[in-house]
């Protein structure tokens, strides 16, 4: 008796790229045309650009975590876990479930959208003592940590300890680092008014970056405007500087300065998910080499996109140009990949991805922002309106939009609150504890596991 099975489409990652791909597949594929499975450790899509506002308490964590199960019409099977290896020859993905069991998930077509992880360097003490800003848990944890430093400083009678707890260091002058510094500085500036024993002048935020300019993608004028806003608030911005080593109670800069601090936040860029290293195929600066149609050359039925793929940027008309790892590209690539997967199923021609960048927005909190929509440079309230309008419109559901707008309005009327929510435990959690980058297999381990499973069956 012959059994006809539907093609199996496996999507890895529930970020902007993966979710947009899944939703389009569900809308355009007939129920009996293919089975769709989504591999993700979380049953929500995280709106990453608003993480700094979660860290500062302007938004609640739930408001930017959009549930994947909210709508009853979605039929995708969600496999809760993380992909830790892929055997492209055997067409098997190894998934580590939430209960730490490794299972092999077969597929006919795979869409690789595992995103990125925080980029670190071989700096003594970095992963042991730094916080990241890449996950919802990290943002919530950092908020608790910062408020804890104010509480401990207020309770301390030791001037040196008090000063150290009130100094904060952020490494990375890109969007994440700049917005994180700006938002958290506003939080501490407002909070210190509730601590009569603390001298506001002791609170010091340091933003450092090895690059010569802040957010160079914005251009020289807007980058300088953002820098002036931060310095006007009392934030020490140091460019051409990084950290030499990190300790539990101090950080040493490469220019020789030693800053006593209990808070080091590392936002110095991202790299493609370690999953890409398990494939044993060509990469471009760590990102998977793909065609303009987002297929992996030499491997039928394999697609890749988002932060983990070096998708050619055809709109720039420059040899070797690839799309930057931004949300707007990931969302649009997700839809295009879904169309190309469907085209492959139906033996239709594939189409390349082309998208002109819509511009950049940087929300510095309050009325401060710089934006560059469609090349138009904006500052102040106009820039803030564009930044928040863009983020609000990009949220996928009306429920998420309502929650975010309500949070913004409530914060504008009632101001900040300074309650620790309990994420801060007695045992500190740092960069190395959140992203589980040591869980991935080598290509040889993937192959051995798949072959072993096949032999046993």
């Amino acid at each position: 008796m012959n059994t006809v099975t539907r093609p199996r489409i496996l999507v890895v990652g529930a970020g902007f790229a993966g979710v947009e791909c899944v939703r389009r597949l569900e809308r355009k594929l007939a129920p009996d045309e293919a089975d769709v499975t989504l591999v993700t450790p979380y049953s929500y899509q995280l709106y990453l650009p608003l993480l700094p506002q979660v860290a500062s308490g302007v938004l609640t964590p739930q408001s930017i975590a959009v549930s994947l199960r909210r709508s009853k019409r979605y039929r995708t099977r969600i496999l809760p876990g993380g992909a830790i290896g892929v055997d492209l020859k055997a067409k098997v993905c190894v998934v580590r479930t939430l209960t730490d069991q490794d299972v092999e998930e077969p597929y006919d077509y795979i869409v690789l959208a595992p995103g990125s992880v925080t980029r670190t360097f071989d700096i003594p003490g970095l992963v042991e003592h730094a916080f990241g800003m890449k996950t919802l848990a990290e943002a919530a944890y950092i908020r608790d940590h910062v408020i804890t430093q104010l509480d401990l400083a207020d309770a301390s009678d030791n001037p040196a300890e008090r000063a150290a707890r009130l100094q904060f260091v952020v490494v990375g002058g890109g969007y994440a680092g700049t917005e994180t510094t700006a938002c958290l500085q506003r939080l501490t500036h407002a909070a210190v008014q509730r601590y009569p024993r603390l001298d506001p002048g002791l609170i010091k935020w340091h933003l450092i970056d090895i690059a010569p300019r802040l957010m160079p993608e914005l251009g020289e004028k807007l980058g300088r405007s953002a820098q002036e806003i931060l310095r006007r608030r009392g934030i020490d911005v140091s460019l051409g500087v990084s950290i030499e080593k990190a300790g539990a109670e101090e950080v040493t800069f490469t220019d020789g300065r030693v800053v006593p601090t209990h808070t080091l936040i590392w936002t110095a860029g991202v790299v493609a998910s370690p999953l890409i290293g398990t494939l044993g195929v060509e990469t471009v600066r760590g990102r998977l080499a793909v065609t303009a149609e987002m297929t992996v050359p030499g491997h039928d039925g394999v697609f890749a996109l988002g932060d983990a793929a070096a998708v050619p940027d055809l709109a720039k008309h420059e040899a070797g140009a690839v799309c930057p790892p931004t949300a707007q590209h990931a969302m649009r690539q997700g839809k295009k990949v879904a169309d190309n997967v469907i085209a492959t199923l139906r033996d239709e021609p594939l189409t390349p991805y082309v998208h002109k960048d819509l511009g950049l927005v940087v929300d510095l909190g309050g009325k401060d922002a710089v934006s560059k929509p469609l090349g138009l440079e904006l500052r102040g309230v106009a820039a803030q309106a564009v930044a928040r309008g863009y983020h609000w419109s990009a949220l996928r559901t009306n429920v998420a939009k309502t929650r975010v707008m309500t949070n913004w309005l409530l914060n504008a009327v009632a101001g900040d609150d300074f309650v620790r929510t309990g994420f801060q435990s007695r045992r500190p959690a740092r960069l190395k504890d959140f992203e589980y980058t040591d869980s991935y297999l080598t290509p040889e381990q993937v192959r051995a596991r798949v072959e072993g499973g096949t032999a046993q069956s």
Side-chain angles (χ1 to χ4, degrees), residues 13-98:
F16 292 107
V19 170
E20 288 296 328
C21 175
V22 166
R23 296 307 185 223
R24 197 169 185 92
L25 288 173
E26 290 175 328
R27 287 193 296 269
K28 299 188 72 172
L29 281 174
D32 60 349
E33 203 168 355
D35 291 328
V36 181
T37 298
L38 176 64
V39 177
T40 172
Y42 310 110
S43 59
Y44 60 79
Q45 178 193 8
L46 178 64
Y47 191 81
L48 272 170
L50 291 178
L51 268 185
Q53 295 191 36
V54 171
S56 63
V58 173
L59 298 177
T60 61
Q62 187 182 12
S63 63
I64 67 167
V66 183
S67 173
L68 299 177
R69 300 185 185 275
R70 187 166 187 87
S71 175
K72 295 180 181 178
R73 66 188 178 91
Y74 295 137
R75 63 179 188 273
T76 296
R77 168 186 169 231
I78 297 177
L79 182 56
I84 60 172
V86 179
D87 188 329
L88 297 179
K89 183 177 180 182
K91 292 195 170 184
V92 171
C93 178
V94 181
V95 178
R96 181 159 295 165
T97 67
L98 299 183

Side-chain angles (χ1 to χ4, degrees), residues 2-343:
N2 294 326
T3 302
V4 178
T5 60
R6 291 187 291 269
R8 298 162 297 186
I9 302 173
L10 184 66
V11 180
V12 176
F16 292 107
V19 170
E20 288 296 328
C21 175
V22 166
R23 296 307 185 223
R24 197 169 185 92
L25 288 173
E26 290 175 328
R27 287 193 296 269
K28 299 188 72 172
L29 281 174
D32 60 349
E33 203 168 355
D35 291 328
V36 181
T37 298
L38 176 64
V39 177
T40 172
Y42 310 110
S43 59
Y44 60 79
Q45 178 193 8
L46 178 64
Y47 191 81
L48 272 170
L50 291 178
L51 268 185
Q53 295 191 36
V54 171
S56 63
V58 173
L59 298 177
T60 61
Q62 187 182 12
S63 63
I64 67 167
V66 183
S67 173
L68 299 177
R69 300 185 185 275
R70 187 166 187 87
S71 175
K72 295 180 181 178
R73 66 188 178 91
Y74 295 137
R75 63 179 188 273
T76 296
R77 168 186 169 231
I78 297 177
L79 182 56
I84 60 172
V86 179
D87 188 329
L88 297 179
K89 183 177 180 182
K91 292 195 170 184
V92 171
C93 178
V94 181
V95 178
R96 181 159 295 165
T97 67
L98 299 183
T99 56
D100 284 333
Q101 293 180 314
D102 293 349
V103 298
E104 289 86 36
E105 184 69 21
Y107 64 84
D108 298 299
Y109 302 91
I110 188 169
V111 177
L112 297 168
S116 56
V117 297
T118 300
R119 178 180 61 183
T120 58
F121 299 97
D122 190 20
I123 298 172
L126 174 62
V127 297
E128 291 82 12
H129 300 293
F131 299 102
M133 181 58 79
K134 195 74 171 65
T135 67
L136 194 60
E138 284 174 312
Y141 189 94
I142 285 174
R143 171 176 163 76
D144 267 14
H145 172 82
V146 169
I147 296 174
T148 298
Q149 300 315 300
L150 297 178
D151 288 343
L152 292 173
D154 182 65
S156 176
D157 293 321
N158 184 324
E161 180 190 0
R162 179 175 290 189
R165 292 196 181 278
L166 296 179
Q167 290 210 75
F168 306 89
V169 178
V170 181
V171 183
Y175 303 108
T178 302
E179 290 188 336
T180 296
T181 305
C183 290
L184 285 173
Q185 185 274 338
R186 279 180 56 85
L187 173 68
T188 55
H189 179 74
V192 76
Q193 300 175 30
R194 312 294 178 91
Y195 295 84
R197 297 180 70 245
L198 293 182
D199 177 4
L202 290 177
I203 296 181
K204 189 70 174 179
W205 281 88
H206 303 264
L207 175 61
I208 67 173
D209 195 287
I210 197 65
R213 288 192 308 181
L214 208 62
M215 295 179 294
E217 300 89 343
L218 279 175
E220 186 175 352
K221 290 183 179 179
L222 281 184
R224 189 166 58 247
S225 294
Q227 189 170 328
E228 289 172 357
I229 290 171
L230 297 182
R231 284 181 168 159
R232 191 166 63 241
R233 291 189 191 172
I235 297 171
D236 178 43
V237 180
S238 299
L239 301 176
V241 177
S242 187
I243 63 172
E244 185 175 295
K245 61 181 179 179
E249 298 181 0
E250 67 178 27
V251 173
T252 303
F253 293 178
T254 52
D255 62 4
R257 282 180 291 166
V258 178
V259 177
T261 180
H262 294 260
T263 308
L264 171 61
I265 302 174
W266 179 267
T267 64
V270 296
V271 293
S273 166
L275 179 66
I276 300 306
T278 74
L279 305 178
V281 296
E282 182 184 356
T283 59
V284 177
R285 295 182 180 177
R287 301 167 74 184
L288 197 59
V290 297
T291 66
E293 293 77 21
M294 290 172 284
T295 62
V296 177
H299 298 277
D300 293 336
V302 181
F303 300 81
L305 68 161
D307 292 7
V311 179
D313 193 347
L314 300 184
K316 287 188 175 179
H317 305 290
E318 298 175 9
V322 298
C323 296
T326 61
Q328 63 174 286
H329 278 291
M331 293 168 70
R332 289 162 178 80
Q333 288 170 7
K335 294 177 181 179
K336 178 59 69 175
V337 157
D339 291 342
N340 283 340
V341 170
I342 294 170

Side-chain angles (χ1 to χ4, degrees), residues 341-358:
V341 170
I342 294 170
T344 302
L345 279 169
R346 298 172 180 172
D347 292 324
E348 297 172 354
L350 277 60
T351 55
Y353 171 74
V354 183
H355 170 66
K356 186 176 181 180
D357 204 304
L358 297 177

